Amino acid sequence: MTAAGCGASKQTDNADTSTGKTATPTEPAKLKNIKVVLDWTPNTNHTGLYVAKELGYYKDAGLNVDIIQPGSGSADNMVASGAAEFGVSYQESITQARTQNVPLVSLAAVIQHNTSGFAAPVDRKIKSPKDFEGKKYGGWGSPVEQAVMKSIMELQGADVSKVTNINMGDADYFTAVKRDIDFAWIYYAWTGIEAQLRGEPLDMLYVKDYSEKLDYYTPVIASSEKVISGDPEMVKAFMSATSKGYQYAIDHPEEAAKILLKAAPDLDEKLVMASQKWLSPRYKDDAPRWGEQKESVWKNYSDWMYEHKLLDKPLEVNKAYTNDYLPAAK
């Protein structure tokens, strides 16, 4: 930017020899202001967004992007209401929204495979879903939690009614397992890595290992039908720059982690670095490009939700997601 500015200044000092008039500097293109709202506080799920902003990828795409936190409202609500053009969401919540006539659309899978699951300190001896029996589970009171737990327990002939459920809300996992609960649902890339750094080993039961229908996209980048139809070129520009940000994080995990830390200096540096190194290769994983979504993944999970009475009607899968705004695979 400095070099460009110097170039513009030089031009104003020079006369146009063909006309004898002083050259007029070119007006810089006006950036379009947009907001992207996170699902939670900044973490390594969001690194590509911060990289795209810090390294000027959004600016190069003609965008002035403000990355914000959801506050009292959810990211989905803010995107659906038009308070933000884009948000970090989940396949589960977009599926539920679509079947309730809320026109949210997933534009990219942040992580290609589900890295979440049930985690317990090793001294609780929870090696399989059968071992949930007689234990205390700390959750947030979602029907999906119970359905997932029930379905993977039943695969092993276990009884979900023998699990004691405790609503722990936003309580710290490490405090809760010492005081109130035996296991909880976590994202390994953050809480699991933190456990490693604390020297508190976990038994981790990834839900995708028990059913391919539970290998869904979490999180995703979402927008609304209104934004997409109203300015498809802006959406394409945003997703191209975002893809570039995540590709940088794939290729340069340490540098990307430093960018996240610069944007969110209150985060633990060791945790961010370790988490980023673990997560970066998993953003794209076995997909042909970052963000690519498969119809089978959307259909499998929505069918599972419908079978478990978590949806009032089947999902129109082709309206819930699109790959059309991602740059072509190289």
Side-chain angles (χ1 to χ4, degrees):
M1 293 297 290
T2 303
C6 292
S9 297
K10 277 189 171 183
Q11 286 178 2
T12 61
D13 294 336
N14 296 331
D16 185 332
T17 55
S18 65
T19 63
K21 296 179 181 179
T22 302
T24 303
T26 304
E27 284 290 323
K30 189 173 182 181
L31 300 178
K32 186 175 183 67
N33 294 323
I34 64 168
K35 289 187 175 75
V36 54
V37 57
L38 305 181
D39 55 329
W40 198 245
T41 53
N43 58 65
T44 48
N45 283 347
H46 313 130
T47 306
L49 298 167
Y50 286 103
V51 168
K53 183 176 175 70
E54 175 68 17
L55 297 186
Y57 300 158
Y58 288 135
K59 189 173 287 187
D60 291 345
L63 305 174
N64 179 39
V65 174
D66 189 15
I67 302 172
I68 61 175
Q69 293 182 45
S72 57
S74 73
D76 284 353
N77 288 341
M78 291 182 69
V79 173
S81 69
E85 286 80 5
F86 303 95
V88 179
S89 185
Y90 311 91
Q91 183 175 336
E92 167 202 325
S93 58
I94 288 181
T95 299
Q96 291 174 321
R98 296 290 322 187
T99 58
Q100 295 165 6
N101 300 316
V102 179
L104 296 177
V105 181
S106 175
L107 300 170
V110 173
I111 306 168
Q112 193 58 214
H113 294 283
N114 190 348
T115 62
S116 74
F118 297 103
V122 293
D123 63 4
R124 310 305 157 86
K125 298 180 180 178
I126 297 178
K127 305 295 183 183
S128 77
K130 175 75 174 170
D131 299 324
F132 294 165
E133 290 185 347
K135 301 294 194 303
K136 296 176 182 177
Y137 170 72
W140 57 94
S142 163
V144 172
E145 291 176 279
Q146 292 305 304
V148 170
M149 192 185 304
K150 182 174 186 287
S151 66
I152 68 174
M153 288 182 73
E154 286 180 345
L155 289 172
Q156 299 198 334
D159 185 354
V160 72
S161 70
K162 294 181 180 179
V163 179
T164 301
N165 288 285
I166 296 173
N167 193 331
M168 59 183 267
D170 297 335
D172 173 68
Y173 171 82
F174 298 98
T175 301
V177 292
K178 287 182 174 68
R179 188 182 62 196
D180 304 314
I181 65 171
D182 295 304
F183 70 110
W185 197 338
I186 70 166
Y187 284 92
Y188 190 83
W190 197 253
T191 308
I193 297 297
E194 184 176 357
Q196 282 185 18
L197 295 176
R198 286 169 170 255
E200 299 179 18
L202 300 177
D203 283 316
M204 182 76 185
L205 281 63
Y206 293 100
V207 295
K208 69 177 178 60
D209 291 344
Y210 296 91
S211 170
E212 68 171 4
K213 292 183 177 182
L214 298 178
D215 190 13
Y216 53 89
Y217 299 124
T218 176
V220 299
I221 305 293
S223 190
S224 67
E225 287 184 0
K226 183 177 181 181
V227 167
I228 294 168
S229 62
D231 198 345
E233 290 306 312
M234 180 275 289
V235 176
K236 186 171 284 189
F238 174 80
M239 291 309 302
S240 178
T242 300
S243 176
K244 197 173 177 182
Y246 276 98
Q247 189 60 51
Y248 181 93
I250 292 167
D251 296 335
H252 309 284
E254 286 194 32
E255 292 86 346
K258 289 175 183 175
I259 290 172
L260 175 59
L261 285 163
K262 180 181 177 182
D266 291 340
L267 294 177
D268 181 276
E269 182 177 355
K270 286 184 179 179
L271 174 56
V272 170
M273 284 290 179
S275 173
Q276 195 64 63
K277 287 177 183 179
W278 188 88
L279 191 57
S280 280
R282 291 171 171 82
Y283 286 139
K284 179 181 171 184
D285 208 290
D286 54 0
R289 57 182 167 171
W290 174 82
E292 177 116 354
Q293 302 170 87
K294 294 178 183 176
E295 180 181 357
S296 60
V297 174
W298 280 88
K299 187 174 189 317
N300 280 345
Y301 187 55
S302 63
D303 286 351
W304 179 90
M305 292 182 77
Y306 186 64
E307 290 163 10
H308 288 81
K309 298 181 172 53
L310 297 168
L311 302 176
D312 294 329
K313 60 183 179 181
L315 175 70
E316 290 184 75
V317 170
N318 63 335
K319 293 184 178 181
Y321 82 98
T322 178
N323 291 317
D324 291 350
Y325 298 90
L326 293 172
K330 293 181 180 178

